Amino acid sequence: MSTTEVRHGEPITTVLTWRVRPGHEREFEKWTRGITRCARQFPGNEGVSWLHPEDGHRYHSVLRWSDPQRLTAWLESPERADWHKRIEGVATEIGSERQSTTGMETWFALPGTTVQAPPRWKMVLTTFLGAYPFVLLIQWLVTPATAAWPLPLRAAMFPLVLLPALTFVVMPLLSRVLRQWLYRPPDH
């Protein structure tokens, strides 16, 4: 999904892939810290993470922005262009591998692919299947133990337990287990 296909005002996550010239990894990593500081000061930035998943010369930056317009403003900004000039000859962005997603699509990404996200109704049903057992467990185990706590603190416990479990464990597992159903072409 490109940034122009995303609904206005919806948060967006973009993954950029970089190829670093052999022997220039330290220089590139120093550069990533600088451009990250710059991006974090830009309006609408909600975080930047850098990944170096394999031994090799590819790095990935995960940029989270409040909306597509602010992401586009960053991508086309003079500040970013200036940082790109500093890295010429050291690394290049592989533009053909740029990916952007919004909302729940980030839970349903297949690593190493550019497969389109499943229909939203399938994402909702899969999220329900992942969340319901945790909601039941939280209601059974956590809620009685926190009954005397003030309401805002009790309410904070629910997302503090549920969201990390869904994001890091349950949804990646479910998206792999249900891969055939989630990503089946529409004509099946």
Side-chain angles (χ1 to χ4, degrees):
M1 178 182 295
S2 72
T3 55
T4 57
E5 297 171 19
V6 176
R7 284 187 223 112
H8 295 288
E10 195 169 339
I12 184 167
T13 300
T14 298
V15 178
L16 308 175
T17 301
W18 294 84
R19 184 179 305 122
V20 179
R21 284 185 46 209
H24 292 268
E25 293 83 0
R26 286 182 192 230
E27 185 178 352
F28 180 75
E29 289 171 4
K30 180 179 177 185
W31 176 84
T32 66
R33 291 187 290 277
I35 194 168
T36 299
R37 279 191 303 275
C38 182
R40 285 184 177 151
Q41 296 173 3
F42 216 81
N45 180 275
E46 294 181 353
V48 178
S49 303
W50 286 90
L51 308 169
H52 184 68
E54 68 276 342
D55 290 334
H57 305 291
R58 283 182 183 247
Y59 288 75
H60 307 281
S61 58
V62 180
L63 297 93
R64 291 172 303 283
W65 294 83
S66 60
D67 57 72
Q69 298 77 20
R70 290 186 174 177
L71 170 63
T72 300
W74 163 251
L75 293 174
E76 297 173 355
S77 71
E79 294 89 343
R80 183 173 185 265
D82 179 55
W83 278 97
H84 277 239
K85 287 178 190 170
R86 298 178 192 189
I87 204 69
E88 285 179 8
V90 172
T92 54
E93 181 187 344
I94 306 171
S96 63
E97 295 187 18
R98 184 181 290 184
Q99 299 177 38
S100 296
T101 60
T102 61
M104 292 192 316
E105 290 95 337
T106 56
W107 276 349
F108 294 92
L110 293 175
T113 70
T114 56
V115 174
Q116 199 169 26
R120 288 186 183 258
W121 71 269
K122 287 185 177 184
M123 291 190 286
V124 168
L125 184 57
T126 304
T127 304
F128 174 80
L129 291 173
Y132 181 75
F134 278 92
V135 171
L136 192 59
L137 280 171
I138 290 169
Q139 292 296 321
W140 179 46
L141 298 173
V142 177
T143 302
T146 61
W149 295 10
L151 179 61
L153 192 55
R154 280 187 318 213
M157 282 302 299
F158 191 82
L160 283 172
V161 173
L162 182 66
L163 296 178
L166 285 176
T167 301
F168 296 110
V169 179
V170 177
M171 295 313 294
L173 177 65
L174 278 177
S175 67
R176 281 193 301 275
V177 169
L178 299 175
R179 178 182 299 202
Q180 295 298 322
W181 176 71
L182 285 168
Y183 301 98
R184 180 177 297 148
D187 59 337
H188 284 78

